[in-house]
Amino acid sequence: MPKIKTNRGAAKRFRLTGTGKIMRQKAYSSHILTKKSTKRKRNLRKTIVAAKADAGRIRRMLGK
């Protein structure tokens, strides 16, 4: 059976932690930043753990 190819778009967006959790960036931080507060923009820089419901699909796209 052939190997599963990695979805390159997903590979650029998601990272696996050492414990196997999937980390992702937050949305809404690319444009129209003038109306957003400094605190809000600062919090959007952080990475967070992706939802458990999506983890299986993301893992399959990453080929893991």
Side-chain angles (χ1 to χ4, degrees), residues 18-55:
T19 55
K21 291 176 184 168
I22 299 164
M23 301 302 287
R24 69 166 180 85
Q25 289 288 328
K26 291 182 179 179
Y28 308 111
S29 61
S30 58
H31 62 101
I32 316 175
L33 298 172
T34 50
K35 63 176 78 169
K36 293 169 189 160
S37 69
T38 310
K39 180 181 177 180
R40 183 173 166 195
K41 288 187 279 191
R42 185 168 59 246
N43 285 327
L44 287 171
R45 282 187 225 140
K46 299 173 183 175
T47 56
I48 55 168
V49 179
K52 275 187 182 177
D54 300 323

PDB file of all heavy atoms in Angstrom, residues 18-55:
ATOM      1  N   GLY A  18       5.313  17.397  21.312  1.00  0.00           N
ATOM      2  CA  GLY A  18       5.948  16.153  21.721  1.00  0.00           C
ATOM      3  C   GLY A  18       4.960  15.138  22.250  1.00  0.00           C
ATOM      4  O   GLY A  18       5.167  13.930  22.126  1.00  0.00           O
ATOM      5  N   THR A  19       3.863  15.630  22.831  1.00  0.00           N
ATOM      6  CA  THR A  19       2.853  14.721  23.384  1.00  0.00           C
ATOM      7  C   THR A  19       1.791  14.340  22.361  1.00  0.00           C
ATOM      8  O   THR A  19       0.855  13.620  22.679  1.00  0.00           O
ATOM      9  CB  THR A  19       2.159  15.360  24.610  1.00  0.00           C
ATOM     10  OG1 THR A  19       1.616  16.626  24.229  1.00  0.00           O
ATOM     11  CG2 THR A  19       3.138  15.535  25.756  1.00  0.00           C
ATOM     12  N   GLY A  20       1.915  14.871  21.119  1.00  0.00           N
ATOM     13  CA  GLY A  20       0.986  14.487  20.053  1.00  0.00           C
ATOM     14  C   GLY A  20      -0.184  15.415  19.848  1.00  0.00           C
ATOM     15  O   GLY A  20      -1.048  15.151  19.023  1.00  0.00           O
ATOM     16  N   LYS A  21      -0.215  16.531  20.582  1.00  0.00           N
ATOM     17  CA  LYS A  21      -1.293  17.504  20.373  1.00  0.00           C
ATOM     18  C   LYS A  21      -0.979  18.331  19.127  1.00  0.00           C
ATOM     19  O   LYS A  21       0.176  18.467  18.739  1.00  0.00           O
ATOM     20  CB  LYS A  21      -1.435  18.429  21.580  1.00  0.00           C
ATOM     21  CG  LYS A  21      -1.970  17.733  22.802  1.00  0.00           C
ATOM     22  CD  LYS A  21      -2.014  18.654  23.990  1.00  0.00           C
ATOM     23  CE  LYS A  21      -2.457  17.910  25.235  1.00  0.00           C
ATOM     24  NZ  LYS A  21      -2.223  18.709  26.438  1.00  0.00           N
ATOM     25  N   ILE A  22      -2.015  18.892  18.529  1.00  0.00           N
ATOM     26  CA  ILE A  22      -1.841  19.684  17.318  1.00  0.00           C
ATOM     27  C   ILE A  22      -2.011  21.157  17.654  1.00  0.00           C
ATOM     28  O   ILE A  22      -3.039  21.566  18.186  1.00  0.00           O
ATOM     29  CB  ILE A  22      -2.850  19.242  16.235  1.00  0.00           C
ATOM     30  CG1 ILE A  22      -2.610  17.785  15.871  1.00  0.00           C
ATOM     31  CG2 ILE A  22      -2.738  20.124  15.012  1.00  0.00           C
ATOM     32  CD1 ILE A  22      -3.722  17.129  15.120  1.00  0.00           C
ATOM     33  N   MET A  23      -0.986  21.948  17.335  1.00  0.00           N
ATOM     34  CA  MET A  23      -1.008  23.383  17.604  1.00  0.00           C
ATOM     35  C   MET A  23      -1.370  24.139  16.326  1.00  0.00           C
ATOM     36  O   MET A  23      -0.992  23.729  15.233  1.00  0.00           O
ATOM     37  CB  MET A  23       0.356  23.859  18.099  1.00  0.00           C
ATOM     38  CG  MET A  23       0.840  23.191  19.367  1.00  0.00           C
ATOM     39  SD  MET A  23      -0.264  23.366  20.765  1.00  0.00           S
ATOM     40  CE  MET A  23       0.007  25.077  21.184  1.00  0.00           C
ATOM     41  N   ARG A  24      -2.114  25.233  16.494  1.00  0.00           N
ATOM     42  CA  ARG A  24      -2.488  26.063  15.351  1.00  0.00           C
ATOM     43  C   ARG A  24      -2.434  27.533  15.731  1.00  0.00           C
ATOM     44  O   ARG A  24      -2.451  27.885  16.912  1.00  0.00           O
ATOM     45  CB  ARG A  24      -3.889  25.707  14.866  1.00  0.00           C
ATOM     46  CG  ARG A  24      -4.999  26.110  15.834  1.00  0.00           C
ATOM     47  CD  ARG A  24      -6.357  26.044  15.182  1.00  0.00           C
ATOM     48  NE  ARG A  24      -7.421  26.434  16.086  1.00  0.00           N
ATOM     49  CZ  ARG A  24      -7.818  27.681  16.311  1.00  0.00           C
ATOM     50  NH1 ARG A  24      -7.202  28.693  15.703  1.00  0.00           N
ATOM     51  NH2 ARG A  24      -8.797  27.949  17.141  1.00  0.00           N
ATOM     52  N   GLN A  25      -2.356  28.389  14.710  1.00  0.00           N
ATOM     53  CA  GLN A  25      -2.373  29.830  14.912  1.00  0.00           C
ATOM     54  C   GLN A  25      -3.818  30.302  15.028  1.00  0.00           C
ATOM     55  O   GLN A  25      -4.731  29.649  14.519  1.00  0.00           O
ATOM     56  CB  GLN A  25      -1.717  30.544  13.727  1.00  0.00           C
ATOM     57  CG  GLN A  25      -0.212  30.374  13.649  1.00  0.00           C
ATOM     58  CD  GLN A  25       0.515  31.155  14.711  1.00  0.00           C
ATOM     59  OE1 GLN A  25       0.074  32.216  15.127  1.00  0.00           O
ATOM     60  NE2 GLN A  25       1.646  30.633  15.173  1.00  0.00           N
ATOM     61  N   LYS A  26      -4.023  31.442  15.657  1.00  0.00           N
ATOM     62  CA  LYS A  26      -5.353  32.033  15.737  1.00  0.00           C
ATOM     63  C   LYS A  26      -5.640  32.819  14.464  1.00  0.00           C
ATOM     64  O   LYS A  26      -4.722  33.273  13.780  1.00  0.00           O
ATOM     65  CB  LYS A  26      -5.450  32.963  16.950  1.00  0.00           C
ATOM     66  CG  LYS A  26      -5.415  32.211  18.271  1.00  0.00           C
ATOM     67  CD  LYS A  26      -5.569  33.170  19.420  1.00  0.00           C
ATOM     68  CE  LYS A  26      -5.556  32.420  20.744  1.00  0.00           C
ATOM     69  NZ  LYS A  26      -5.687  33.344  21.875  1.00  0.00           N
ATOM     70  N   ALA A  27      -6.920  32.999  14.156  1.00  0.00           N
ATOM     71  CA  ALA A  27      -7.339  33.743  12.976  1.00  0.00           C
ATOM     72  C   ALA A  27      -7.542  35.219  13.314  1.00  0.00           C
ATOM     73  O   ALA A  27      -7.387  35.617  14.470  1.00  0.00           O
ATOM     74  CB  ALA A  27      -8.627  33.145  12.440  1.00  0.00           C
ATOM     75  N   TYR A  28      -7.895  36.005  12.318  1.00  0.00           N
ATOM     76  CA  TYR A  28      -8.248  37.429  12.447  1.00  0.00           C
ATOM     77  C   TYR A  28      -7.075  38.331  12.795  1.00  0.00           C
ATOM     78  O   TYR A  28      -7.255  39.363  13.431  1.00  0.00           O
ATOM     79  CB  TYR A  28      -9.372  37.642  13.489  1.00  0.00           C
ATOM     80  CG  TYR A  28     -10.571  36.769  13.251  1.00  0.00           C
ATOM     81  CD1 TYR A  28     -10.870  35.727  14.136  1.00  0.00           C
ATOM     82  CD2 TYR A  28     -11.387  36.957  12.151  1.00  0.00           C
ATOM     83  CE1 TYR A  28     -11.963  34.912  13.917  1.00  0.00           C
ATOM     84  CE2 TYR A  28     -12.487  36.149  11.922  1.00  0.00           C
ATOM     85  CZ  TYR A  28     -12.766  35.126  12.810  1.00  0.00           C
ATOM     86  OH  TYR A  28     -13.847  34.320  12.598  1.00  0.00           O
ATOM     87  N   SER A  29      -5.883  38.002  12.358  1.00  0.00           N
ATOM     88  CA  SER A  29      -4.736  38.848  12.705  1.00  0.00           C
ATOM     89  C   SER A  29      -3.984  39.370  11.487  1.00  0.00           C
ATOM     90  O   SER A  29      -2.873  39.891  11.626  1.00  0.00           O
ATOM     91  CB  SER A  29      -3.769  38.063  13.584  1.00  0.00           C
ATOM     92  OG  SER A  29      -3.284  36.932  12.895  1.00  0.00           O
ATOM     93  N   SER A  30      -4.577  39.262  10.292  1.00  0.00           N
ATOM     94  CA  SER A  30      -3.828  39.636   9.086  1.00  0.00           C
ATOM     95  C   SER A  30      -4.142  41.030   8.554  1.00  0.00           C
ATOM     96  O   SER A  30      -3.273  41.673   7.983  1.00  0.00           O
ATOM     97  CB  SER A  30      -4.053  38.602   7.992  1.00  0.00           C
ATOM     98  OG  SER A  30      -5.425  38.486   7.709  1.00  0.00           O
ATOM     99  N   HIS A  31      -5.369  41.515   8.703  1.00  0.00           N
ATOM    100  CA  HIS A  31      -5.692  42.855   8.189  1.00  0.00           C
ATOM    101  C   HIS A  31      -6.814  43.481   9.014  1.00  0.00           C
ATOM    102  O   HIS A  31      -7.374  42.836   9.888  1.00  0.00           O
ATOM    103  CB  HIS A  31      -6.055  42.801   6.694  1.00  0.00           C
ATOM    104  CG  HIS A  31      -7.256  41.979   6.389  1.00  0.00           C
ATOM    105  ND1 HIS A  31      -8.485  42.507   6.144  1.00  0.00           N
ATOM    106  CD2 HIS A  31      -7.424  40.629   6.305  1.00  0.00           C
ATOM    107  CE1 HIS A  31      -9.352  41.529   5.902  1.00  0.00           C
ATOM    108  NE2 HIS A  31      -8.739  40.387   6.013  1.00  0.00           N
ATOM    109  N   ILE A  32      -7.094  44.756   8.728  1.00  0.00           N
ATOM    110  CA  ILE A  32      -8.043  45.584   9.501  1.00  0.00           C
ATOM    111  C   ILE A  32      -7.645  45.554  10.987  1.00  0.00           C
ATOM    112  O   ILE A  32      -8.432  45.207  11.863  1.00  0.00           O
ATOM    113  CB  ILE A  32      -9.516  45.141   9.303  1.00  0.00           C
ATOM    114  CG1 ILE A  32      -9.816  44.874   7.841  1.00  0.00           C
ATOM    115  CG2 ILE A  32     -10.473  46.214   9.814  1.00  0.00           C
ATOM    116  CD1 ILE A  32     -11.211  44.328   7.576  1.00  0.00           C
ATOM    117  N   LEU A  33      -6.389  45.903  11.227  1.00  0.00           N
ATOM    118  CA  LEU A  33      -5.850  45.825  12.585  1.00  0.00           C
ATOM    119  C   LEU A  33      -6.052  47.116  13.380  1.00  0.00           C
ATOM    120  O   LEU A  33      -5.860  47.118  14.596  1.00  0.00           O
ATOM    121  CB  LEU A  33      -4.361  45.469  12.533  1.00  0.00           C
ATOM    122  CG  LEU A  33      -4.033  44.114  11.897  1.00  0.00           C
ATOM    123  CD1 LEU A  33      -2.542  43.958  11.721  1.00  0.00           C
ATOM    124  CD2 LEU A  33      -4.598  42.973  12.709  1.00  0.00           C
ATOM    125  N   THR A  34      -6.441  48.198  12.710  1.00  0.00           N
ATOM    126  CA  THR A  34      -6.544  49.494  13.401  1.00  0.00           C
ATOM    127  C   THR A  34      -7.663  49.505  14.426  1.00  0.00           C
ATOM    128  O   THR A  34      -7.531  50.135  15.477  1.00  0.00           O
ATOM    129  CB  THR A  34      -6.771  50.631  12.388  1.00  0.00           C
ATOM    130  OG1 THR A  34      -7.850  50.274  11.522  1.00  0.00           O
ATOM    131  CG2 THR A  34      -5.533  50.876  11.568  1.00  0.00           C
ATOM    132  N   LYS A  35      -8.751  48.799  14.156  1.00  0.00           N
ATOM    133  CA  LYS A  35      -9.882  48.807  15.090  1.00  0.00           C
ATOM    134  C   LYS A  35      -9.741  47.784  16.212  1.00  0.00           C
ATOM    135  O   LYS A  35     -10.536  47.768  17.128  1.00  0.00           O
ATOM    136  CB  LYS A  35     -11.205  48.605  14.348  1.00  0.00           C
ATOM    137  CG  LYS A  35     -11.336  47.270  13.643  1.00  0.00           C
ATOM    138  CD  LYS A  35     -12.709  47.086  13.016  1.00  0.00           C
ATOM    139  CE  LYS A  35     -12.855  47.843  11.728  1.00  0.00           C
ATOM    140  NZ  LYS A  35     -14.074  47.479  10.992  1.00  0.00           N
ATOM    141  N   LYS A  36      -8.731  46.930  16.123  1.00  0.00           N
ATOM    142  CA  LYS A  36      -8.520  45.921  17.160  1.00  0.00           C
ATOM    143  C   LYS A  36      -7.580  46.484  18.219  1.00  0.00           C
ATOM    144  O   LYS A  36      -6.600  47.156  17.892  1.00  0.00           O
ATOM    145  CB  LYS A  36      -7.925  44.648  16.552  1.00  0.00           C
ATOM    146  CG  LYS A  36      -8.904  43.941  15.626  1.00  0.00           C
ATOM    147  CD  LYS A  36      -8.269  42.849  14.834  1.00  0.00           C
ATOM    148  CE  LYS A  36      -9.258  42.349  13.792  1.00  0.00           C
ATOM    149  NZ  LYS A  36      -8.617  41.651  12.700  1.00  0.00           N
ATOM    150  N   SER A  37      -7.859  46.174  19.469  1.00  0.00           N
ATOM    151  CA  SER A  37      -7.040  46.702  20.562  1.00  0.00           C
ATOM    152  C   SER A  37      -5.672  46.012  20.579  1.00  0.00           C
ATOM    153  O   SER A  37      -5.514  44.913  20.050  1.00  0.00           O
ATOM    154  CB  SER A  37      -7.734  46.483  21.902  1.00  0.00           C
ATOM    155  OG  SER A  37      -7.758  45.110  22.225  1.00  0.00           O
ATOM    156  N   THR A  38      -4.717  46.665  21.207  1.00  0.00           N
ATOM    157  CA  THR A  38      -3.367  46.119  21.319  1.00  0.00           C
ATOM    158  C   THR A  38      -3.378  44.782  22.047  1.00  0.00           C
ATOM    159  O   THR A  38      -2.677  43.854  21.657  1.00  0.00           O
ATOM    160  CB  THR A  38      -2.458  47.119  22.076  1.00  0.00           C
ATOM    161  OG1 THR A  38      -2.617  48.396  21.483  1.00  0.00           O
ATOM    162  CG2 THR A  38      -1.016  46.709  21.989  1.00  0.00           C
ATOM    163  N   LYS A  39      -4.185  44.704  23.097  1.00  0.00           N
ATOM    164  CA  LYS A  39      -4.289  43.463  23.872  1.00  0.00           C
ATOM    165  C   LYS A  39      -4.820  42.325  23.007  1.00  0.00           C
ATOM    166  O   LYS A  39      -4.316  41.199  23.064  1.00  0.00           O
ATOM    167  CB  LYS A  39      -5.217  43.686  25.069  1.00  0.00           C
ATOM    168  CG  LYS A  39      -5.392  42.469  25.948  1.00  0.00           C
ATOM    169  CD  LYS A  39      -6.350  42.771  27.090  1.00  0.00           C
ATOM    170  CE  LYS A  39      -6.586  41.545  27.943  1.00  0.00           C
ATOM    171  NZ  LYS A  39      -7.515  41.842  29.044  1.00  0.00           N
ATOM    172  N   ARG A  40      -5.840  42.625  22.212  1.00  0.00           N
ATOM    173  CA  ARG A  40      -6.441  41.610  21.345  1.00  0.00           C
ATOM    174  C   ARG A  40      -5.429  41.130  20.298  1.00  0.00           C
ATOM    175  O   ARG A  40      -5.283  39.932  20.062  1.00  0.00           O
ATOM    176  CB  ARG A  40      -7.671  42.199  20.667  1.00  0.00           C
ATOM    177  CG  ARG A  40      -8.429  41.214  19.799  1.00  0.00           C
ATOM    178  CD  ARG A  40      -9.709  41.859  19.314  1.00  0.00           C
ATOM    179  NE  ARG A  40     -10.308  41.108  18.241  1.00  0.00           N
ATOM    180  CZ  ARG A  40     -11.257  41.560  17.446  1.00  0.00           C
ATOM    181  NH1 ARG A  40     -11.731  42.772  17.608  1.00  0.00           N
ATOM    182  NH2 ARG A  40     -11.756  40.814  16.491  1.00  0.00           N
ATOM    183  N   LYS A  41      -4.703  42.067  19.686  1.00  0.00           N
ATOM    184  CA  LYS A  41      -3.704  41.707  18.675  1.00  0.00           C
ATOM    185  C   LYS A  41      -2.578  40.878  19.286  1.00  0.00           C
ATOM    186  O   LYS A  41      -2.087  39.934  18.666  1.00  0.00           O
ATOM    187  CB  LYS A  41      -3.140  42.969  18.018  1.00  0.00           C
ATOM    188  CG  LYS A  41      -4.131  43.641  17.082  1.00  0.00           C
ATOM    189  CD  LYS A  41      -3.511  44.783  16.331  1.00  0.00           C
ATOM    190  CE  LYS A  41      -3.444  46.045  17.160  1.00  0.00           C
ATOM    191  NZ  LYS A  41      -3.083  47.232  16.361  1.00  0.00           N
ATOM    192  N   ARG A  42      -2.189  41.224  20.496  1.00  0.00           N
ATOM    193  CA  ARG A  42      -1.130  40.486  21.189  1.00  0.00           C
ATOM    194  C   ARG A  42      -1.574  39.054  21.462  1.00  0.00           C
ATOM    195  O   ARG A  42      -0.805  38.106  21.270  1.00  0.00           O
ATOM    196  CB  ARG A  42      -0.778  41.202  22.493  1.00  0.00           C
ATOM    197  CG  ARG A  42       0.398  40.601  23.234  1.00  0.00           C
ATOM    198  CD  ARG A  42       0.883  41.514  24.351  1.00  0.00           C
ATOM    199  NE  ARG A  42      -0.160  41.809  25.333  1.00  0.00           N
ATOM    200  CZ  ARG A  42      -0.681  43.035  25.537  1.00  0.00           C
ATOM    201  NH1 ARG A  42      -0.304  44.076  24.811  1.00  0.00           N
ATOM    202  NH2 ARG A  42      -1.608  43.221  26.447  1.00  0.00           N
ATOM    203  N   ASN A  43      -2.832  38.869  21.877  1.00  0.00           N
ATOM    204  CA  ASN A  43      -3.349  37.528  22.154  1.00  0.00           C
ATOM    205  C   ASN A  43      -3.520  36.702  20.891  1.00  0.00           C
ATOM    206  O   ASN A  43      -3.459  35.469  20.945  1.00  0.00           O
ATOM    207  CB  ASN A  43      -4.666  37.614  22.920  1.00  0.00           C
ATOM    208  CG  ASN A  43      -4.460  37.976  24.375  1.00  0.00           C
ATOM    209  OD1 ASN A  43      -3.454  37.595  24.973  1.00  0.00           O
ATOM    210  ND2 ASN A  43      -5.386  38.725  24.948  1.00  0.00           N
ATOM    211  N   LEU A  44      -3.726  37.360  19.756  1.00  0.00           N
ATOM    212  CA  LEU A  44      -3.877  36.637  18.489  1.00  0.00           C
ATOM    213  C   LEU A  44      -2.550  36.048  17.999  1.00  0.00           C
ATOM    214  O   LEU A  44      -2.555  35.175  17.145  1.00  0.00           O
ATOM    215  CB  LEU A  44      -4.454  37.565  17.410  1.00  0.00           C
ATOM    216  CG  LEU A  44      -5.929  37.921  17.551  1.00  0.00           C
ATOM    217  CD1 LEU A  44      -6.306  39.010  16.570  1.00  0.00           C
ATOM    218  CD2 LEU A  44      -6.814  36.711  17.376  1.00  0.00           C
ATOM    219  N   ARG A  45      -1.424  36.526  18.535  1.00  0.00           N
ATOM    220  CA  ARG A  45      -0.118  35.998  18.131  1.00  0.00           C
ATOM    221  C   ARG A  45       0.149  34.603  18.673  1.00  0.00           C
ATOM    222  O   ARG A  45       0.951  33.862  18.126  1.00  0.00           O
ATOM    223  CB  ARG A  45       0.996  36.909  18.657  1.00  0.00           C
ATOM    224  CG  ARG A  45       1.192  38.167  17.870  1.00  0.00           C
ATOM    225  CD  ARG A  45       2.431  38.903  18.389  1.00  0.00           C
ATOM    226  NE  ARG A  45       2.158  40.315  18.531  1.00  0.00           N
ATOM    227  CZ  ARG A  45       2.577  41.076  19.540  1.00  0.00           C
ATOM    228  NH1 ARG A  45       3.283  40.562  20.524  1.00  0.00           N
ATOM    229  NH2 ARG A  45       2.290  42.354  19.581  1.00  0.00           N
ATOM    230  N   LYS A  46      -0.511  34.247  19.759  1.00  0.00           N
ATOM    231  CA  LYS A  46      -0.233  32.984  20.442  1.00  0.00           C
ATOM    232  C   LYS A  46      -0.775  31.791  19.655  1.00  0.00           C
ATOM    233  O   LYS A  46      -1.752  31.906  18.923  1.00  0.00           O
ATOM    234  CB  LYS A  46      -0.871  32.988  21.834  1.00  0.00           C
ATOM    235  CG  LYS A  46      -0.340  34.096  22.728  1.00  0.00           C
ATOM    236  CD  LYS A  46      -1.124  34.152  24.009  1.00  0.00           C
ATOM    237  CE  LYS A  46      -0.661  35.311  24.888  1.00  0.00           C
ATOM    238  NZ  LYS A  46      -1.500  35.447  26.067  1.00  0.00           N
ATOM    239  N   THR A  47      -0.131  30.645  19.835  1.00  0.00           N
ATOM    240  CA  THR A  47      -0.645  29.404  19.251  1.00  0.00           C
ATOM    241  C   THR A  47      -1.507  28.710  20.291  1.00  0.00           C
ATOM    242  O   THR A  47      -1.289  28.865  21.498  1.00  0.00           O
ATOM    243  CB  THR A  47       0.503  28.457  18.833  1.00  0.00           C
ATOM    244  OG1 THR A  47       1.328  28.207  19.962  1.00  0.00           O
ATOM    245  CG2 THR A  47       1.323  29.051  17.712  1.00  0.00           C
ATOM    246  N   ILE A  48      -2.488  27.948  19.813  1.00  0.00           N
ATOM    247  CA  ILE A  48      -3.365  27.210  20.718  1.00  0.00           C
ATOM    248  C   ILE A  48      -3.519  25.784  20.212  1.00  0.00           C
ATOM    249  O   ILE A  48      -3.192  25.489  19.066  1.00  0.00           O
ATOM    250  CB  ILE A  48      -4.759  27.879  20.855  1.00  0.00           C
ATOM    251  CG1 ILE A  48      -5.409  28.073  19.501  1.00  0.00           C
ATOM    252  CG2 ILE A  48      -4.665  29.193  21.597  1.00  0.00           C
ATOM    253  CD1 ILE A  48      -6.873  28.453  19.583  1.00  0.00           C
ATOM    254  N   VAL A  49      -4.017  24.915  21.072  1.00  0.00           N
ATOM    255  CA  VAL A  49      -4.246  23.516  20.705  1.00  0.00           C
ATOM    256  C   VAL A  49      -5.506  23.443  19.846  1.00  0.00           C
ATOM    257  O   VAL A  49      -6.529  24.038  20.192  1.00  0.00           O
ATOM    258  CB  VAL A  49      -4.400  22.639  21.965  1.00  0.00           C
ATOM    259  CG1 VAL A  49      -4.673  21.194  21.592  1.00  0.00           C
ATOM    260  CG2 VAL A  49      -3.143  22.731  22.826  1.00  0.00           C
ATOM    261  N   ALA A  50      -5.422  22.744  18.724  1.00  0.00           N
ATOM    262  CA  ALA A  50      -6.571  22.579  17.836  1.00  0.00           C
ATOM    263  C   ALA A  50      -7.628  21.705  18.516  1.00  0.00           C
ATOM    264  O   ALA A  50      -7.314  20.900  19.401  1.00  0.00           O
ATOM    265  CB  ALA A  50      -6.134  21.948  16.523  1.00  0.00           C
ATOM    266  N   ALA A  51      -8.871  21.850  18.096  1.00  0.00           N
ATOM    267  CA  ALA A  51      -9.989  21.115  18.689  1.00  0.00           C
ATOM    268  C   ALA A  51      -9.828  19.607  18.482  1.00  0.00           C
ATOM    269  O   ALA A  51      -9.331  19.162  17.443  1.00  0.00           O
ATOM    270  CB  ALA A  51     -11.304  21.581  18.075  1.00  0.00           C
ATOM    271  N   LYS A  52     -10.258  18.840  19.485  1.00  0.00           N
ATOM    272  CA  LYS A  52     -10.185  17.379  19.407  1.00  0.00           C
ATOM    273  C   LYS A  52     -10.988  16.835  18.231  1.00  0.00           C
ATOM    274  O   LYS A  52     -10.603  15.858  17.604  1.00  0.00           O
ATOM    275  CB  LYS A  52     -10.711  16.746  20.693  1.00  0.00           C
ATOM    276  CG  LYS A  52      -9.699  16.630  21.786  1.00  0.00           C
ATOM    277  CD  LYS A  52     -10.289  15.842  22.948  1.00  0.00           C
ATOM    278  CE  LYS A  52      -9.309  15.745  24.104  1.00  0.00           C
ATOM    279  NZ  LYS A  52      -9.922  15.030  25.250  1.00  0.00           N
ATOM    280  N   ALA A  53     -12.113  17.494  17.933  1.00  0.00           N
ATOM    281  CA  ALA A  53     -12.991  17.048  16.850  1.00  0.00           C
ATOM    282  C   ALA A  53     -12.287  17.104  15.497  1.00  0.00           C
ATOM    283  O   ALA A  53     -12.573  16.299  14.610  1.00  0.00           O
ATOM    284  CB  ALA A  53     -14.249  17.911  16.817  1.00  0.00           C
ATOM    285  N   ASP A  54     -11.353  18.038  15.335  1.00  0.00           N
ATOM    286  CA  ASP A  54     -10.637  18.194  14.067  1.00  0.00           C
ATOM    287  C   ASP A  54      -9.322  17.436  14.031  1.00  0.00           C
ATOM    288  O   ASP A  54      -8.711  17.286  12.961  1.00  0.00           O
ATOM    289  CB  ASP A  54     -10.341  19.680  13.817  1.00  0.00           C
ATOM    290  CG  ASP A  54     -11.604  20.507  13.749  1.00  0.00           C
ATOM    291  OD1 ASP A  54     -12.608  20.006  13.217  1.00  0.00           O
ATOM    292  OD2 ASP A  54     -11.583  21.657  14.229  1.00  0.00           O
ATOM    293  N   ALA A  55      -8.863  16.954  15.174  1.00  0.00           N
ATOM    294  CA  ALA A  55      -7.531  16.362  15.288  1.00  0.00           C
ATOM    295  C   ALA A  55      -7.316  15.188  14.336  1.00  0.00           C
ATOM    296  O   ALA A  55      -6.251  15.078  13.718  1.00  0.00           O
ATOM    297  CB  ALA A  55      -7.272  15.921  16.725  1.00  0.00           C
TER     298      ALA A  55
END
